[in-house]
Amino acid sequence: MQAGLLAPAALALLALALGPVLAHLARQPPRRQVRYGAMLLLERLARRLRRRRRLDDRWLLLLRVLAVALAALAAARPELRWPAANAALDGVGAVVVVLDDSLSMDLVDGAGPARETLFERARREAVAFVRDLPQGTRVGLVTVGGAARAVTPELTADRDAVAAAIEALRQGPGSTDLAGALALARRMLAGTGGAAAVFTDEAGPVAVPAAASEIALFGEQGLGLIPRPVRARDPANLVILGATYGEGLEGGSVRLTVANYGAADREAPLTVELPDGAEIHAFVDVPAGGTAEERVTVPRVAEGGVALARVDDERLRLDDAYAFQLPRVGASRVLVVDGDPGPTPTASEVYFLERALAPWGAAAALEGGVLPDVASEVGAVDLDPEVHRVAFLANVSDPGPLAARLLAFVRAGGGLVIGVGDNVTAERYNEPLALLLPSPLRRAESLTAPGENGVPTELPDVSLELFRPFARGGRAAFGRVRWRRLFTLQPYEDSEQVRTLMRTASGLPLLVERRLGQGRVLLFTGTFDLGWGDFPLQAAFMPWVQRLVTYLGGETGGGGLRLEGRVGEAVRVDLPDAALDVSVRGPDGPVAVRVRGGQAVFTPELPGAYVVETPGAPPLAWVAIHTDPAESDVRLTHRLVETAARVDPERFVHHEPLWPWLLWAALGFAVLQAALAAALGRRAAAEEVSRAA
Amino acid sequence: MTPARPEGHGAGWDPEVLARIQALAFQARVLVAGFLHGAHRSTRVAHNVEFADYKDYTPGDPLRDLDWRVLARSDRLVVRRHHAEHELPVTLVVDASADAGTGEAGRWPRGGRPPLTGSKWGAAAVLAATVAWWLRRRGEPVGLAVVAGESVPWRWLPPRTGRAHAAAILGTLAAAVPAGRADLGTALPAIGARLPRRSMVVLISDLMEEPATWAEAVAGLGAGLRDLRVVHLHDPREWTLDYPAAARFRSPEGGRPLVVDPAGARDAMAEVVADYLAEVRAAMVRAGARHVLAPSDGALSAVVARLLREG
């Protein structure tokens, strides 16, 4: 066994042992004696110094206790934890820049020269981030807005190219697909490792939580997540959450719901832009963090279609407009041409039609209901396509003078219902109305003998658009309608232009439709009064009459489909004929559309009104496209790092050990107390008044 | 009252004591020469030598004091009043405790007599001798009481006039050796009991005992019609800790020594001295005494002047 010294030079430290010896010698009591005649004063001096030393000792005690306590605390190895990115950029060889270009990033922040959108700031910071990456770092770029997109198909070492790609990005109105973007980034980093630097405003209630599973996968695969929040100093935004056209068949007002996602109450101007270009202005007061409703009255005559409600908000303009479906208002006025004013009300078709069309009277009709104009045969010249949408010919004896006007009316998109009666003859109808009638009239025939019940009506096919509202109820009421007499038609076959919508139980045509131009003609082979049947007395009569008006274009601008959609999501429109030549018109003009499986499919890139059209026919569909309402909520509710910490606490929580600090502090206090003790010792030695042994 | 029995009287005159007597007498004469201002004025108004003022005649006043000239000139009855000179016995109370035997004059043999200059006892003896010499010249009675000390021929010499009496005082001062504790709180009341009701008392002491222990005794000494004057002897070096290095400070009166490094304790010592002086002055005010600080290394003439000045 051998003993040796690994560091013999350290023996020089033994010289430190002289310190205590010198201190001991320095503390030796003096030998010199003085005869002193004022011991009273020295006694007092000793007491005074003892008091002072006791005060000094307290400080010394405090420092020593602190030193020991901190050392004990350090032994417990305390640490601070907080959510943080789990990867430092240093040493990462691959980085995917995830840039949020969703709608919420259009929020304007700052003032004056510093005024810019969050996207502009994020883009600037992302470019600087890429340019500052170490040489040789491989970089990728993924965007978040709408559907996440990999701008660079794979990682590249050409940082300038990535920076140029970032600078070329433009703000969009899409939603935040953070999960998709992280998935793309993760796939890009697969096999190489690295980190994703996410430049996002983290705004909205769902964007960050929706990415939780992807964040977890990041952790599981050992990838880093480096949040680079780009936040507004005082996020605020006004947005229209909804617009609903007024109640009733025709309605009369639009109810707008406006939300304020700011910290201050706001008053803002509202504008409702109707499909015909008319504008209605209003103001709305919205409390901070709340919503408010505002009603806007729509003119009695307004074009149907998709209207736009717009709130004036400078902070986030992309979501200022809200598209909503607006039925044709007021223009669905009905003209009833009374060809047989009866001696009694019940003997008059107009009596029953008026009450079916405006059951709550003219005053109610003026507030939004159907308002029928009643005219005689002579007064039928009042038929005005700009005002009337539907015309009823009720037992008109001689429609010849009206034929040309009626034809133009229907071709222009009007709806014509021809009701027969005792005044009607095939001779007066077939020739002048040849272009309008679905089938030439034959003659009026009695179906039963006097005193017998009439022939019942066949239950209608509710798959037909006309009867679709009766699918949920009311269909059976048609079976109780009986007919004693009807006008028969010459033989015809259903085609694209002509089809039978109602029949009697015996198979006689009751209601036949003919498409003509942009309008339709419905030939009703019965009467609207009680002359030939009991239809006006049955429960089905009034809804059927009102449905006729709607069906013929009174409710909407042409009766096309009413659809809602969201920016960036595909809209599918069922086509009556797959061979139709379909086009789509959006806020900025034509939109690419493809027909697949009998559906027209297009993806709107902007919010607003879209119309699906086919040449020579009313619009097939009116589509209101909205932005993602979650994007409008610019408040910061979920932080990326905090969400990550919840998903995978160990990976996304930063641990900061406190014990080294505590140890240093303990050491500091120890040194401090030593210095103080030394100073006090020197002073005590200097002041020392002690009893000599 | 008879004088106290002299200590060691039978041993005969010590040549050192005789030399000190001569030195005391010499220094006293020198100091008195520098202080030659008149006699004490009586606080009584009497019919004697010196005119004082007039007062209106009231029945009962002696008719011989009527000023006839004023009566003749102004037809007013006024009475002449005069100051009366009378004897004012003065008692010197000298503290000869061991603490008084220290000073800056350096070391001297233990149990020996400190030099007359440079020691607190020397200053005390010279001051007492000066006052006694001066009073003897004026023919006024002077007495001596010695507190503590050794080799004291007479502890108590009642106020008397005469050359022999003055010589006894000087002899006592010259022979005394500072020793023991003064214990003023006990000694002063005993002395006060012997003093005339109307007299002057000059206490010469370093007052190195807690003021609370002697304040009442001093007040008793100056009670009544007595004029109490206190000469507070001190060695400035002791009060300022003017010593070159740390040392063991030992009281001649005994007790355990204290180790002090003067350099570090000087500031605190100044505070202690200030507090102590404040207590002493408060006690003097309560006793109605004139407090005269007398540094042992200073000019005693100034002290004598302050001590004996009128008012």
Side-chain angles (χ1 to χ4, degrees):
Chain A
M1 183 180 292
Q2 288 185 334
L5 297 173
L6 293 176
L11 291 177
L13 295 175
L14 287 174
L16 295 177
L18 289 174
V21 176
L22 293 175
H24 177 75
L25 293 176
R27 299 278 297 169
Q28 284 295 302
R31 294 176 180 280
R32 180 169 167 268
Q33 288 204 7
V34 172
R35 293 181 76 239
Y36 190 72
M39 286 305 281
L40 170 69
L41 301 180
L42 273 192
E43 297 279 1
R44 289 186 167 200
L45 175 65
R47 284 199 295 274
R48 180 180 290 260
L49 292 181
R50 271 200 296 276
R51 280 201 300 274
R52 184 183 296 173
R53 197 166 302 159
R54 275 201 294 274
L55 287 176
D56 294 339
D57 288 349
R58 282 178 198 158
W59 282 110
L60 204 57
L61 176 68
L62 179 66
L63 287 175
R64 286 172 178 165
V65 167
L66 277 175
V68 172
L70 289 176
L73 216 58
R77 297 174 68 85
E79 66 174 15
L80 286 179
R81 304 185 188 97
W82 68 83
N86 71 329
L89 190 57
D90 297 339
V92 174
V95 176
V96 174
V97 173
V98 177
L99 185 58
D100 188 350
D101 59 345
S102 63
L103 184 148
S104 62
M105 293 290 283
D106 195 43
L107 186 68
V108 175
D109 192 32
R115 186 179 171 87
E116 61 181 351
T117 66
L118 295 183
F119 177 74
E120 289 166 346
R121 190 191 303 164
R123 188 172 53 186
R124 180 161 45 79
E125 292 180 3
V127 168
F129 174 82
V130 169
R131 293 196 192 284
D132 290 344
L133 287 173
Q135 191 74 29
T137 305
R138 301 176 68 204
V139 194
L141 176 60
V142 172
T143 57
V144 172
R149 182 170 66 97
V151 181
T152 57
E154 57 187 8
L155 295 172
T156 172
D158 188 352
R159 290 176 298 147
D160 290 338
V162 176
I166 294 173
E167 285 175 336
L169 288 174
R170 293 293 173 265
Q171 170 74 49
S175 306
T176 301
D177 184 13
L178 185 58
L182 290 178
L184 287 175
R186 188 167 49 79
R187 279 197 283 276
M188 227 180 260
L189 294 169
T192 62
V198 185
F199 295 81
T200 176
D201 60 353
E202 302 178 318
V206 295
V208 173
S213 58
E214 271 303 324
I215 294 171
L217 286 175
F218 253 70
E220 290 171 10
Q221 296 180 9
L223 301 174
L225 189 66
I226 308 170
R228 293 296 177 104
V230 183
R231 299 178 187 134
R233 278 179 288 276
D234 58 333
N237 182 32
L238 280 182
V239 63
I240 300 172
L241 291 181
T244 311
Y245 182 63
E247 299 168 356
L249 285 175
E250 297 298 319
S253 66
V254 175
R255 189 180 66 205
L256 300 163
T257 304
V258 185
N260 177 4
Y261 294 125
D265 297 349
R266 295 279 299 276
E267 181 190 40
L270 277 174
T271 304
V272 175
E273 186 180 326
L274 302 180
D276 58 7
E279 290 188 347
I280 306 166
H281 299 281
F283 277 91
V284 62
D285 291 312
V286 197
T291 59
E293 285 194 352
E294 182 68 20
R295 283 183 182 273
V296 175
T297 302
V298 179
R300 290 200 64 250
V301 179
E303 190 73 29
V306 176
L308 284 179
R310 195 182 305 276
V311 62
D312 193 4
D313 174 35
E314 292 184 348
R315 296 296 301 276
L316 184 55
R317 287 201 173 281
L318 275 179
D319 67 351
D320 283 358
Y322 183 86
F324 65 99
Q325 300 286 359
L326 182 73
R328 190 175 296 237
V329 181
S332 60
R333 280 195 195 180
V334 176
L335 176 66
V336 178
V337 182
D338 188 1
D340 182 25
T344 62
T346 54
S348 167
E349 290 89 349
V350 172
Y351 173 83
F352 292 104
L353 279 176
E354 267 194 307
R355 274 140 193 84
L357 290 168
W360 296 281
L366 283 171
E367 293 176 359
V370 177
L371 183 63
D373 290 338
V374 179
S376 65
E377 291 184 29
V378 178
V381 294
D382 294 338
L383 183 63
D384 182 356
E386 296 297 321
V387 175
H388 301 113
R389 291 298 176 217
V390 179
F392 282 82
L393 295 186
N395 198 16
V396 173
S397 59
D398 184 10
L402 305 173
R405 188 179 292 272
L406 290 173
L407 186 60
F409 173 70
V410 173
R411 281 178 168 161
L416 177 63
V417 182
I418 300 173
V420 297
D422 293 332
N423 292 342
V424 176
T425 61
E427 294 73 24
R428 289 183 179 170
Y429 269 69
N430 287 345
E431 188 178 342
L433 301 182
L435 295 177
L436 291 170
L437 291 173
S439 172
L441 300 178
R442 197 173 171 185
R443 63 174 177 274
E445 292 183 18
S446 294
L447 304 182
T448 58
E452 293 182 356
N453 287 332
V455 176
T457 303
E458 184 184 70
L459 295 182
D461 179 3
V462 291
S463 67
L464 294 173
E465 189 184 349
L466 175 61
F467 294 103
R468 199 169 290 164
F470 298 97
R472 288 183 297 174
R475 179 172 177 250
F478 286 95
R480 290 191 284 274
V481 179
R482 291 180 177 272
W483 299 99
R484 298 185 303 277
R485 185 179 175 86
L486 288 177
F487 224 107
T488 57
L489 305 177
Q490 292 184 13
Y492 68 95
E493 288 189 358
D494 283 0
S495 64
E496 285 185 11
Q497 302 300 321
V498 177
R499 57 177 175 169
T500 306
L501 301 179
M502 289 178 72
R503 293 177 185 275
T504 61
S506 59
L508 289 174
L510 195 56
L511 185 66
V512 186
E513 176 191 67
R514 176 175 183 178
R515 290 174 179 268
L516 185 62
Q518 296 183 24
R520 308 175 200 213
V521 179
L522 294 179
L523 175 60
F524 185 54
T525 57
T527 59
F528 294 123
D529 61 8
L530 300 176
W532 291 5
D534 63 352
F535 196 13
L537 297 181
Q538 298 301 327
F541 182 71
M542 189 181 76
W544 176 79
V545 170
Q546 295 209 355
R547 178 59 186 163
L548 277 181
V549 174
T550 305
Y551 179 68
L552 290 173
E555 181 193 21
T556 66
L561 291 173
R562 299 290 182 146
L563 301 175
E564 308 271 339
R566 186 172 288 181
V567 169
E569 296 179 357
V571 176
R572 300 172 192 279
V573 180
D574 290 330
L575 299 176
D577 185 348
L580 284 177
D581 180 14
V582 177
S583 64
V584 176
R585 191 161 36 89
D588 272 2
V591 175
V593 60
R594 63 181 188 279
V595 176
R596 182 189 297 169
Q599 287 183 320
V601 183
F602 68 98
T603 305
E605 299 296 336
L606 293 172
Y610 289 73
V611 185
V612 182
E613 298 171 305
T614 186
L620 293 171
W622 302 85
V623 186
I625 298 298
H626 309 300
T627 58
D628 183 355
E631 287 296 313
S632 299
D633 187 352
V634 293
R635 296 172 296 186
L636 182 63
T637 50
H638 297 88
R639 294 173 193 273
L640 190 55
V641 172
E642 290 172 353
T643 304
R646 277 195 297 276
V647 172
D648 190 352
E650 283 309 310
R651 279 188 184 280
F652 292 94
V653 171
H654 180 83
H655 298 262
E656 181 64 37
L658 285 180
W659 65 268
W661 299 100
L662 293 173
L663 210 55
W664 279 112
L667 195 61
F669 281 121
V671 170
L672 204 59
Q673 71 83 24
L676 182 60
L680 292 177
R682 279 195 298 276
R683 199 174 80 181
E687 296 177 344
E688 186 172 5
V689 176
S690 61
R691 291 281 180 192
Chain B
M1 187 177 290
T2 56
R5 184 172 179 271
E7 297 174 8
H9 188 65
W13 289 107
D14 184 345
E16 182 197 348
V17 174
L18 290 175
R20 288 174 69 89
I21 291 173
Q22 287 179 351
L24 274 176
F26 174 74
Q27 289 194 34
R29 279 197 297 272
V30 170
L31 286 170
V32 169
F35 180 76
L36 286 175
H37 293 289
H40 295 279
R41 292 201 180 275
S42 169
T43 55
R44 283 189 310 178
V45 177
H47 53 90
N48 203 344
V49 185
E50 191 175 350
F51 170 75
D53 60 2
Y54 289 107
K55 71 178 274 287
D56 289 334
Y57 172 81
T58 54
D61 285 340
L63 289 177
R64 62 179 180 180
D65 288 342
L66 274 175
D67 192 320
W68 299 105
R69 292 180 183 169
V70 173
L71 179 62
R73 281 202 300 268
S74 62
D75 202 21
R76 284 182 59 204
L77 289 174
V78 295
V79 177
R80 293 172 62 91
R81 296 196 300 177
H82 302 82
H83 287 296
E85 284 194 349
H86 64 97
E87 292 180 342
L88 179 65
V90 177
T91 303
L92 302 169
V93 181
V94 184
D95 176 2
S97 62
D99 277 348
T102 61
E104 64 173 358
R107 298 173 70 87
W108 54 87
R110 182 182 297 273
R113 295 181 179 85
L116 293 180
T117 55
S119 70
K120 285 189 284 186
W121 170 250
V126 169
L127 279 173
T130 302
V131 173
W133 185 263
W134 179 65
L135 292 171
R136 189 198 71 81
R137 277 193 52 172
R138 289 177 55 85
E140 298 199 46
V142 59
L144 175 68
V146 179
V147 179
E150 292 175 349
S151 305
V152 180
W154 303 96
R155 288 272 173 204
W156 166 249
L157 292 170
R160 286 184 188 160
T161 57
R163 189 182 186 90
H165 185 71
I169 290 175
L170 261 60
T172 299
L173 291 172
V177 175
R181 295 176 55 82
D183 196 6
L184 298 174
T186 306
L188 295 183
I191 294 169
R194 297 180 170 187
L195 297 178
R197 181 170 167 271
R198 178 182 299 280
S199 66
M200 175 185 285
V201 181
V202 178
L203 170 63
I204 302 172
S205 169
D206 62 356
L207 299 179
M208 268 305 137
E209 294 175 11
E210 282 293 347
T213 63
W214 49 255
E216 195 173 341
V218 168
L221 207 59
L225 297 175
R226 291 190 196 121
D227 180 1
L228 176 61
R229 305 186 180 197
V230 178
V231 178
H232 190 170
L233 281 169
H234 67 96
D235 180 357
R237 196 178 175 209
E238 289 180 341
W239 281 18
T240 57
L241 283 179
D242 184 15
Y243 300 95
R248 293 164 182 257
F249 288 77
R250 184 185 296 278
S251 170
E253 294 185 5
R256 302 176 74 178
L258 288 172
V259 175
V260 177
D261 184 347
R266 211 160 274 146
D267 293 342
M269 187 63 170
E271 297 171 9
V272 168
V273 170
D275 291 349
Y276 164 73
L277 277 179
E279 291 178 40
V280 169
R281 285 179 179 132
M284 296 304 165
V285 169
R286 282 197 298 275
R290 177 182 301 177
H291 180 232
V292 180
L293 269 176
S296 61
D297 62 345
L300 292 180
S301 58
V303 177
V304 171
R306 289 170 56 200
L307 176 65
L308 298 180
R309 77 167 187 268
E310 294 293 336

